[in-house]
Amino acid sequence: MVRDSLKEFESETIAVNAQLDAWYINDSEEDQRLPHHLEPKLYVPVQKLAELGLAHWVLDSNNYEHDMELRKIRAERGYTYQDIVDIAPDLLPNYEANLKNFYKEHMHADEEIRFILAGSGYFDVRDFDDRWIRIWAKKNDMLVVPAGMYHRFTLDESEYIKALRLFKGYPVWTPHYRPQDEHPSRKDYITFWKRQ
Ligand code: KMT
Ligand code: NI
């Protein structure tokens, strides 16, 4: 019992402290791996990301196979599939071309679920004013980009990320490039998350 309540307390503490490094970016033509901060810098609170439908947890990636919090999330949200991707210049064939592809604005018909096990990278997501928010995902961050949300990905200057990819059932990673105004997942996303 004592152990259980301690666990509960710990996960609440994590949720409260679950900060995420995120900021609005400029659209300069500089290398996509650079931070692209506005001048002056404009950070985005985690609450704003939650209002856009983005879910986030900070979990223990060193122990991910046994982490109870992850087990609970997987059970509650029905994440039955997982695999690991490793992205770095010497690991990915056609690295530069692939990186450019990840960086094309798209959405998916399903959630994009990534738990960062090592390294870091940028997930850029659109807000409803069509501005890009850059989320700096690092080791221990677990992110869910909702179905129908426009986004893109790039490595940062460290040029390395290792992530657990989760999925409900048989994985489909198909990108649907913008515009997708008539896509049912896009319509559902807007209906559910956009405040009038
Ligand atoms: C994607 O869907 O953009 C990727 O799998 C690359 C990022 S995973 C850290
Ligand atoms: Ni994607």
Side-chain angles (χ1 to χ4, degrees):
M1 273 319 262
V2 173
R3 266 197 73 133
D4 281 357
S5 48
L6 187 62
K7 257 258 148 328
E8 226 173 78
F9 174 72
E10 276 173 3
S11 57
E12 267 177 34
T13 310
I14 289 169
V16 169
N17 293 330
Q19 285 308 319
L20 196 54
D21 233 341
W23 55 84
Y24 285 108
I25 57 173
N26 62 47
D27 55 6
S28 85
E29 294 297 313
E30 283 184 321
D31 193 303
Q32 66 193 57
R33 285 160 276 217
L34 295 171
H36 285 251
H37 273 291
L38 295 180
E39 175 53 47
K41 291 177 182 175
L42 185 54
Y43 287 92
V44 177
V46 76
Q47 176 62 26
K48 162 91 182 182
L49 294 167
E51 286 167 11
L52 297 172
L54 196 125
H56 170 245
W57 300 264
V58 178
L59 305 174
D60 179 9
S61 64
N62 292 331
N63 185 38
Y64 77 89
E65 275 155 303
H66 307 285
D67 188 78
M68 290 312 291
E69 179 99 8
L70 180 59
R71 207 167 284 185
K72 193 169 145 225
I73 295 167
R74 292 183 56 196
E76 281 176 3
R77 300 176 71 106
Y79 301 155
T80 49
Y81 173 92
Q82 66 180 45
D83 67 12
I84 289 179
V85 286
D86 242 326
I87 308 175
D90 53 340
L91 294 176
L92 194 67
N94 303 315
Y95 169 71
E96 289 291 340
N98 266 307
L99 204 64
K100 285 268 174 306
N101 264 332
F102 289 145
Y103 205 56
K104 285 188 193 147
E105 182 169 4
H106 64 276
M107 49 144 275
H108 305 279
D110 305 276
E111 294 174 335
E112 180 167 319
I113 311 144
R114 299 289 185 270
F115 180 26
I116 315 306
L117 303 179
S120 55
Y122 295 131
F123 286 86
D124 293 345
V125 299
R126 287 282 192 194
D127 72 8
F128 286 112
D129 299 318
D130 231 6
R131 294 179 294 184
W132 279 121
I133 298 173
R134 174 153 286 190
I135 300 168
W136 200 6
K138 305 184 193 94
K139 181 177 165 76
N140 295 332
D141 285 324
M142 159 109 168
L143 294 179
V144 180
V145 178
M149 181 188 222
Y150 288 132
H151 66 277
R152 63 185 182 185
F153 173 80
T154 181
L155 287 180
D156 60 22
E157 290 166 276
S158 77
E159 296 199 298
Y160 178 60
I161 198 164
K162 184 190 197 75
L164 194 70
R165 306 192 296 182
L166 298 105
F167 206 85
K168 289 180 202 169
Y170 187 82
V172 181
W173 315 113
T174 315
H176 300 285
Y177 295 106
R178 189 173 176 175
Q180 291 293 336
D181 298 337
E182 297 308 317
H183 194 293
S185 299
R186 179 68 192 162
K187 288 182 168 176
D188 287 350
Y189 172 73
I190 289 170
T191 306
F192 198 83
W193 291 104
K194 190 170 179 175
R195 305 275 147 76
Q196 298 313 316

PDB file of all heavy atoms in Angstrom, residues 7 23 38 80 92 100 113 124 136 171 194 196:
ATOM      1  N   LYS A   7       4.140   5.450  -5.526  1.00  0.00           N
ATOM      2  CA  LYS A   7       4.160   5.421  -6.996  1.00  0.00           C
ATOM      3  C   LYS A   7       3.230   6.491  -7.563  1.00  0.00           C
ATOM      4  O   LYS A   7       3.579   7.220  -8.473  1.00  0.00           O
ATOM      5  CB  LYS A   7       3.685   4.053  -7.502  1.00  0.00           C
ATOM      6  CG  LYS A   7       4.798   3.136  -7.980  1.00  0.00           C
ATOM      7  CD  LYS A   7       4.846   3.144  -9.499  1.00  0.00           C
ATOM      8  CE  LYS A   7       6.159   2.961 -10.178  1.00  0.00           C
ATOM      9  NZ  LYS A   7       7.385   3.399  -9.664  1.00  0.00           N
ATOM     10  N   TRP A  23       9.074  26.244 -28.918  1.00  0.00           N
ATOM     11  CA  TRP A  23       9.095  27.660 -29.262  1.00  0.00           C
ATOM     12  C   TRP A  23       8.568  27.880 -30.688  1.00  0.00           C
ATOM     13  O   TRP A  23       8.565  26.961 -31.510  1.00  0.00           O
ATOM     14  CB  TRP A  23      10.515  28.227 -29.137  1.00  0.00           C
ATOM     15  CG  TRP A  23      11.579  27.498 -29.926  1.00  0.00           C
ATOM     16  CD1 TRP A  23      11.907  27.676 -31.244  1.00  0.00           C
ATOM     17  CD2 TRP A  23      12.470  26.459 -29.446  1.00  0.00           C
ATOM     18  NE1 TRP A  23      12.926  26.827 -31.610  1.00  0.00           N
ATOM     19  CE2 TRP A  23      13.297  26.076 -30.523  1.00  0.00           C
ATOM     20  CE3 TRP A  23      12.647  25.827 -28.200  1.00  0.00           C
ATOM     21  CZ2 TRP A  23      14.285  25.078 -30.407  1.00  0.00           C
ATOM     22  CZ3 TRP A  23      13.627  24.844 -28.098  1.00  0.00           C
ATOM     23  CH2 TRP A  23      14.429  24.494 -29.188  1.00  0.00           C
ATOM     24  N   LEU A  38      12.651  32.694 -33.059  1.00  0.00           N
ATOM     25  CA  LEU A  38      12.287  34.072 -33.389  1.00  0.00           C
ATOM     26  C   LEU A  38      13.228  34.988 -32.613  1.00  0.00           C
ATOM     27  O   LEU A  38      13.858  34.575 -31.650  1.00  0.00           O
ATOM     28  CB  LEU A  38      10.841  34.361 -32.980  1.00  0.00           C
ATOM     29  CG  LEU A  38       9.734  33.592 -33.698  1.00  0.00           C
ATOM     30  CD1 LEU A  38       8.371  34.007 -33.158  1.00  0.00           C
ATOM     31  CD2 LEU A  38       9.813  33.805 -35.211  1.00  0.00           C
ATOM     32  N   THR A  80      -0.376  -1.591 -29.006  1.00  0.00           N
ATOM     33  CA  THR A  80       0.022  -3.002 -28.987  1.00  0.00           C
ATOM     34  C   THR A  80       1.327  -3.244 -29.729  1.00  0.00           C
ATOM     35  O   THR A  80       1.984  -4.251 -29.519  1.00  0.00           O
ATOM     36  CB  THR A  80      -1.080  -3.858 -29.636  1.00  0.00           C
ATOM     37  OG1 THR A  80      -1.432  -3.251 -30.886  1.00  0.00           O
ATOM     38  CG2 THR A  80      -2.315  -3.921 -28.745  1.00  0.00           C
ATOM     39  N   LEU A  92      21.323   5.907 -41.651  1.00  0.00           N
ATOM     40  CA  LEU A  92      20.185   5.988 -42.560  1.00  0.00           C
ATOM     41  C   LEU A  92      20.695   6.111 -44.003  1.00  0.00           C
ATOM     42  O   LEU A  92      21.388   7.066 -44.335  1.00  0.00           O
ATOM     43  CB  LEU A  92      19.353   7.218 -42.181  1.00  0.00           C
ATOM     44  CG  LEU A  92      17.965   7.353 -42.757  1.00  0.00           C
ATOM     45  CD1 LEU A  92      17.033   6.272 -42.226  1.00  0.00           C
ATOM     46  CD2 LEU A  92      17.391   8.732 -42.417  1.00  0.00           C
ATOM     47  N   LYS A 100      15.078  15.400 -45.569  1.00  0.00           N
ATOM     48  CA  LYS A 100      14.227  16.359 -46.289  1.00  0.00           C
ATOM     49  C   LYS A 100      12.784  15.856 -46.328  1.00  0.00           C
ATOM     50  O   LYS A 100      11.839  16.629 -46.181  1.00  0.00           O
ATOM     51  CB  LYS A 100      14.723  16.549 -47.728  1.00  0.00           C
ATOM     52  CG  LYS A 100      15.970  17.403 -47.853  1.00  0.00           C
ATOM     53  CD  LYS A 100      15.583  18.875 -48.064  1.00  0.00           C
ATOM     54  CE  LYS A 100      16.777  19.824 -48.049  1.00  0.00           C
ATOM     55  NZ  LYS A 100      17.638  19.734 -46.857  1.00  0.00           N
ATOM     56  N   ILE A 113       3.314   8.227 -32.419  1.00  0.00           N
ATOM     57  CA  ILE A 113       3.704   8.072 -31.011  1.00  0.00           C
ATOM     58  C   ILE A 113       5.194   7.763 -30.945  1.00  0.00           C
ATOM     59  O   ILE A 113       5.653   6.768 -31.522  1.00  0.00           O
ATOM     60  CB  ILE A 113       2.918   6.911 -30.360  1.00  0.00           C
ATOM     61  CG1 ILE A 113       1.430   7.050 -30.660  1.00  0.00           C
ATOM     62  CG2 ILE A 113       3.188   6.862 -28.858  1.00  0.00           C
ATOM     63  CD1 ILE A 113       0.725   5.717 -30.866  1.00  0.00           C
ATOM     64  N   ASP A 124       8.047  19.626 -35.383  1.00  0.00           N
ATOM     65  CA  ASP A 124       7.358  20.891 -35.611  1.00  0.00           C
ATOM     66  C   ASP A 124       5.882  20.597 -35.813  1.00  0.00           C
ATOM     67  O   ASP A 124       5.530  19.713 -36.604  1.00  0.00           O
ATOM     68  CB  ASP A 124       7.891  21.586 -36.868  1.00  0.00           C
ATOM     69  CG  ASP A 124       9.335  22.056 -36.725  1.00  0.00           C
ATOM     70  OD1 ASP A 124       9.844  22.109 -35.584  1.00  0.00           O
ATOM     71  OD2 ASP A 124       9.956  22.375 -37.767  1.00  0.00           O
ATOM     72  N   TRP A 136      11.301  20.416 -28.954  1.00  0.00           N
ATOM     73  CA  TRP A 136      12.610  19.769 -28.866  1.00  0.00           C
ATOM     74  C   TRP A 136      12.465  18.495 -28.041  1.00  0.00           C
ATOM     75  O   TRP A 136      12.448  18.546 -26.815  1.00  0.00           O
ATOM     76  CB  TRP A 136      13.626  20.717 -28.236  1.00  0.00           C
ATOM     77  CG  TRP A 136      15.041  20.353 -28.519  1.00  0.00           C
ATOM     78  CD1 TRP A 136      15.488  19.365 -29.349  1.00  0.00           C
ATOM     79  CD2 TRP A 136      16.207  21.000 -27.994  1.00  0.00           C
ATOM     80  NE1 TRP A 136      16.858  19.350 -29.373  1.00  0.00           N
ATOM     81  CE2 TRP A 136      17.325  20.326 -28.548  1.00  0.00           C
ATOM     82  CE3 TRP A 136      16.410  22.059 -27.121  1.00  0.00           C
ATOM     83  CZ2 TRP A 136      18.629  20.712 -28.235  1.00  0.00           C
ATOM     84  CZ3 TRP A 136      17.704  22.431 -26.817  1.00  0.00           C
ATOM     85  CH2 TRP A 136      18.808  21.767 -27.371  1.00  0.00           C
ATOM     86  N   PRO A 171       1.099  -1.408 -37.784  1.00  0.00           N
ATOM     87  CA  PRO A 171       1.514  -0.009 -38.013  1.00  0.00           C
ATOM     88  C   PRO A 171       1.379   0.458 -39.462  1.00  0.00           C
ATOM     89  O   PRO A 171       1.701  -0.266 -40.396  1.00  0.00           O
ATOM     90  CB  PRO A 171       2.986  -0.013 -37.593  1.00  0.00           C
ATOM     91  CG  PRO A 171       3.428  -1.419 -37.758  1.00  0.00           C
ATOM     92  CD  PRO A 171       2.234  -2.288 -37.474  1.00  0.00           C
ATOM     93  N   LYS A 194     -10.178  22.329 -32.467  1.00  0.00           N
ATOM     94  CA  LYS A 194     -10.166  23.765 -32.776  1.00  0.00           C
ATOM     95  C   LYS A 194     -11.235  24.511 -31.979  1.00  0.00           C
ATOM     96  O   LYS A 194     -12.403  24.166 -32.049  1.00  0.00           O
ATOM     97  CB  LYS A 194     -10.367  24.009 -34.269  1.00  0.00           C
ATOM     98  CG  LYS A 194     -10.129  25.461 -34.648  1.00  0.00           C
ATOM     99  CD  LYS A 194     -10.102  25.649 -36.161  1.00  0.00           C
ATOM    100  CE  LYS A 194      -9.896  27.106 -36.482  1.00  0.00           C
ATOM    101  NZ  LYS A 194      -9.734  27.319 -37.940  1.00  0.00           N
ATOM    102  N   GLN A 196     -13.524  27.716 -31.363  1.00  0.00           N
ATOM    103  CA  GLN A 196     -14.066  28.769 -32.246  1.00  0.00           C
ATOM    104  C   GLN A 196     -13.770  30.152 -31.685  1.00  0.00           C
ATOM    105  O   GLN A 196     -13.587  30.327 -30.519  1.00  0.00           O
ATOM    106  CB  GLN A 196     -15.572  28.570 -32.422  1.00  0.00           C
ATOM    107  CG  GLN A 196     -15.942  27.254 -33.074  1.00  0.00           C
ATOM    108  CD  GLN A 196     -15.131  26.915 -34.318  1.00  0.00           C
ATOM    109  OE1 GLN A 196     -14.908  27.784 -35.166  1.00  0.00           O
ATOM    110  NE2 GLN A 196     -14.667  25.692 -34.441  1.00  0.00           N
TER     111      GLN A 196
END
